[in-house]
Amino acid sequence: PRPILDMSYSRHFLDFQGSSIPSSMKKLVVTKLSQNFREAVTLRQDSPVPLPGDGDLLVRNRFVGINASDINYSAGRYDASVKPPFDIGFEGVGDVVALGLSASADYTVGQAVAYVKAGSFAEYTVVPAKQAVPLPSVKPEFLTLMVSGATAYISLKELGDLSEGKKVLVTAAAGGTGQFAVQLAKKAKCHVIGTCSSDEKGGFLKSIGCDRTINYKTENVESVLRKDYPEGVDVVYESVGGKMFDLALNSLATKGRLIVIGFIAGYQNPTGLQPVKAEFLPAKLLKKSASIRGFFLNHYLSEYKMAMKDLLKMYERGDLVCEVDFGDMSPEGKFTGLESVFRAVDYMYMGKNIGKIVVELPHSVNSKL
């Protein structure tokens, strides 16, 4: 029988590797609302390590994921009622180092878990056991599935109506979530077109099955689509916004569907939006019996566990590439430690990443045993 360990009452305890869990930690906190991440966010050096309650896990974060929406969150766009200071970061992968009594019915100290919850940009995060996803090991690849993979999986399943031979356009296809939209559309036997910003990204997209890549720095996306797909495309997985949105809308086929999962081109603007030519929208949609659907993962949490189960299975079978970008090619090198989250966000907005941007939080085990 597994020993049940209730550590929720203890202020100082040892983790499962015998090193002392500190009483304070580093974490990132939004101290001012701004779409400029560096202005909005402060690295606190001596925040108290939180204690898990009865149904909670204390997770020592080993890898945290960077999302385009981190900027929306630090600008206060998701919930106008939340006032700084508040914690930031949406997803993490790490080890359970302590847990409450009822949480120990399903989890044990030393177990690898992933989670989606605000406050992951910290050395330790308290996660309700109900929200954790047990993992076979602590690997950064699992992190790519939590928000990016799940967004592609659920949105295409619920809104995409994919079937064999459909033409699917994925914008920012080599990014964190684009890589999954490409692969999942290929699994549905669709013809996939991906836009990207370099030949290196184009090579990556071909390696994961993309049928046609369009480097928008060297090719005119509109001309390519008009010439190669005169009938239009059936589904667009759109995360860029602005001019790319207009272009995607114009390239829809009859009964085409445009799924908006983001508009990264506007996140750093004070207003948050780049204008689109929406005045002709009713006429354009009517003419093609086309539709636009927005997708926000928080509204589909009832589907989340099932999606994660399926994605994890695919990855473990080797049927899914989970590309991780640690920033090795960035000017100052690999993203290591919470202080590098700022660089990682900049790197994403420069459009440099291939796959999901992940920051590693190193942990030195100073054994007391």
Side-chain angles (χ1 to χ4, degrees), residues 22-260:
S23 52
S24 66
M25 65 170 185
K26 291 182 190 172
K27 72 170 177 176
L28 294 185
V29 177
V30 177
T31 47
K32 172 189 170 190
L33 297 183
S34 169
Q35 75 287 343
N36 178 332
F37 192 82
R38 285 177 182 272
E39 263 181 32
V41 178
T42 305
L43 175 62
R44 294 244 166 105
Q45 300 281 354
D46 54 357
S47 295
V49 170
L51 288 171
D54 180 57
D56 297 332
L57 312 173
L58 180 65
V59 178
R60 185 181 66 217
N61 294 314
R62 297 268 296 282
F63 299 101
V64 294
I66 303 295
N67 291 285
S69 41
D70 289 329
I71 279 192
N72 283 341
Y73 199 62
S74 65
R77 289 184 186 132
Y78 283 162
D79 184 351
S81 70
V82 178
K83 299 284 179 274
F86 55 85
D87 296 349
I88 189 164
F90 290 126
E91 54 187 342
V93 163
D95 313 291
V96 175
V97 291
L99 69 173
L101 190 57
S102 63
S104 64
D106 299 305
Y107 287 91
T108 181
V109 164
Q111 193 161 355
V113 293
Y115 64 89
V116 176
K117 177 184 180 280
S120 70
F121 292 163
E123 291 178 315
Y124 295 86
T125 303
V126 165
V127 179
K130 289 199 297 282
Q131 289 175 25
V133 176
L135 298 175
S137 60
V138 173
K139 281 171 79 173
E141 285 77 11
F142 292 125
L143 195 54
T144 66
L145 302 174
M146 299 303 294
V147 171
S148 302
T151 295
Y153 183 101
I154 300 170
S155 64
L156 290 172
K157 180 174 173 282
E158 297 290 318
L159 312 177
D161 194 21
L162 300 183
S163 56
E164 190 169 351
K166 291 269 172 79
K167 293 186 275 297
V168 178
L169 170 65
V170 180
T171 63
T177 189
Q179 63 172 331
F180 294 110
V182 168
Q183 294 178 79
L184 294 168
K186 280 309 293 175
K187 285 186 193 313
K189 299 184 174 159
C190 297
H191 175 93
V192 183
I193 309 132
T195 70
C196 61
S197 60
S198 70
D199 291 342
E200 190 194 357
K201 290 184 179 190
F204 166 67
L205 288 173
K206 288 200 174 84
S207 78
I208 59 171
C210 199
D211 298 287
R212 172 70 161 97
T213 61
I214 308 173
N215 178 347
Y216 63 79
K217 294 275 173 79
T218 57
E219 297 177 89
N220 181 305
V221 180
E222 197 169 8
S223 311
V224 171
L225 290 172
R226 202 179 296 130
K227 179 171 154 289
D228 293 0
Y229 304 96
E231 301 291 303
V233 296
D234 302 297
V235 178
V236 183
Y237 186 82
E238 214 300 89
S239 60
V240 177
K243 290 185 177 122
M244 189 62 87
F245 173 89
D246 289 329
L247 204 149
L249 178 66
N250 293 337
S251 65
L252 282 176
T254 303
K255 296 185 183 171
R257 290 174 299 289
L258 193 159
I259 303 171
V260 176

